[in-house]
Amino acid sequence: MRCEVLTLFPDLIQGVTTQSIIKRAQAQGLVQIRVHNIRDYIDDRHRIADDAPYGGGAGMVMKAEPIFRVLDALRESGEDLRVIMPSPQGTPFTQALARDLSQEPRRLVWICGHYEGIDERVLSWLQPEEISIGDYVLTGGELPALVMIDSATRLIPGAVGDPDSVAQDSFVESLLDFPHYTRPEEVRGFGVPDVLLSGNHEAIRLWRRKSALRNTYHKRPDLLNPAQLSQEDQRFLEDIVQESRKELLVRKREEKCHESASAT
Ligand code: SAH
């Protein structure tokens, strides 16, 4: 994956990409990340990158021409580019999109806006893919670009030590991940489920699968598509529904007991 990030705040990008898994992936040659300071492409003495909006109103708007110049420079090699503009108005970013980026043979370019955003003519000329990381507004496109680069990087074979850990992640199969535990066996009175200490691989597999289904059922039921589930999964799901009905009944009974105890 080859990434070019256009920004007015290169340190924001460097801060994250020089650490941990992304740092290692670059050292291994799996990912290339180049950061371009848009300000370096401005001729005028004061290197002003933004200006007041036509029509008046609050905030500053990033100028188009400096961004075009960075793109001109990148296009000099004649290579195909896939240009992305992080924007709250974009297509929602998903795990599927992360996978798509991780397999992209073209050079990926992120144009990070700041302030009120970027002169609309950047959209008109470049027609970039607008991608949103959620329905909220951030101060700039740097964090969204990093979110996309980070999630795509961990999907590149070899970037994360054990490929199984990526294969089992949340969303990979429209299911959330199962719970994880590590040493010691007891923390502040909380133990580890016995099955994980049993050494019985099949029992552990079944527990993890059921737990992933339970997590999804309780936390993100919208992700569950019973038609896509195996028969084993469907049986687990029936158990989980029964379990939660029982829990609800017990809770209701307890509440009633409390009510009648406080009434007397
Ligand atoms: N006025 C704009 C928001 C500008 S926020 C609007 O309401 O649409 C400044 C920059 O932050 C944007 O140009 C974009 O690059 C980035 N940004 C903010 N929120 C984002 C989000 N949810 N997803 C992706 N990028 C976002």
Side-chain angles (χ1 to χ4, degrees):
M1 189 170 69
R2 293 168 309 153
C3 311
E4 313 283 342
V5 185
L6 279 56
T7 171
L8 288 173
F9 300 92
D11 290 350
L12 280 177
I13 306 294
Q14 306 281 15
V16 174
T17 55
T18 52
Q19 307 284 323
S20 179
I21 291 174
I22 306 187
K23 175 186 179 183
R24 212 174 52 214
Q26 289 175 92
Q28 290 171 293
L30 301 172
V31 178
Q32 187 190 71
I33 302 170
R34 296 197 305 192
V35 185
H36 304 269
N37 187 344
I38 297 169
R39 229 177 277 282
D40 293 342
Y41 293 75
I42 303 172
D43 282 339
D44 83 67
R45 209 158 40 88
H46 307 291
R47 304 217 297 167
I48 292 169
D50 58 324
D51 209 334
Y54 278 123
M60 297 297 269
V61 178
M62 278 171 65
K63 289 168 171 286
E65 183 57 27
I67 293 170
F68 291 157
R69 288 191 186 164
V70 190
L71 263 296
D72 288 343
L74 289 173
R75 281 183 169 152
E76 260 167 27
S77 65
E79 263 187 281
D80 255 0
L81 307 175
R82 176 170 176 184
V83 185
I84 295 168
M85 188 187 278
S87 162
Q89 303 179 25
T91 309
F93 188 62
T94 57
Q95 185 71 10
L97 204 38
R99 181 163 300 282
D100 188 50
L101 294 181
S102 75
Q103 295 168 347
E104 177 59 62
R106 285 170 294 179
R107 221 171 249 287
L108 290 155
V109 181
W110 276 270
I111 302 174
C112 303
H114 228 91
Y115 316 117
E116 268 319 298
I118 302 178
D119 189 311
E120 189 73 9
R121 287 162 294 184
V122 170
L123 270 181
S124 318
W125 187 60
L126 292 171
Q127 304 198 338
E129 272 172 72
E130 289 182 277
I131 302 181
S132 165
I133 63 160
D135 288 346
Y136 40 80
V137 180
L138 296 156
T139 56
E142 287 76 11
L143 288 170
L146 287 167
V147 164
M148 294 179 222
I149 293 171
D150 183 287
S151 54
T153 296
R154 64 194 299 288
L155 294 173
I156 296 173
V160 173
D162 179 355
D164 277 352
S165 75
V166 173
Q168 289 162 348
D169 277 336
S170 296
F171 306 115
V172 170
E173 266 192 294
S174 295
L175 281 190
L176 300 182
D177 198 4
F178 51 78
H180 301 271
Y181 296 85
T182 188
R183 267 170 274 274
E185 269 183 47
E186 199 188 294
V187 181
R188 310 236 168 165
F190 292 95
V192 174
D194 288 339
V195 60
L196 298 181
L197 307 172
S198 69
N200 180 337
H201 295 299
E202 179 59 7
I204 292 171
R205 184 189 72 79
L206 293 173
W207 181 87
R208 286 183 165 162
R209 187 74 193 170
K210 189 168 180 179
S211 302
L213 282 158
R214 189 184 291 111
N215 265 346
T216 316
Y217 176 77
H218 287 296
K219 297 178 187 173
R220 290 291 306 275
D222 56 301
L223 293 175
L224 276 177
N225 180 356
Q228 273 183 351
L229 297 177
S230 67
Q231 286 197 334
E232 181 185 89
D233 285 344
Q234 291 190 12
R235 272 198 302 275
F236 279 151
L237 200 56
E238 281 162 23
D239 286 353
I240 291 162
V241 174
Q242 290 294 335
E243 270 172 23
S244 67
R245 280 204 188 120
K246 267 188 211 151
E247 272 167 29
L248 201 69
L249 276 177
V250 171
R251 219 176 305 145
K252 275 200 178 144
R253 245 179 248 146
E254 281 172 359
E255 272 169 20
K256 269 207 179 133
C257 283
H258 268 292
E259 274 167 28
S260 48
S262 50
T264 52

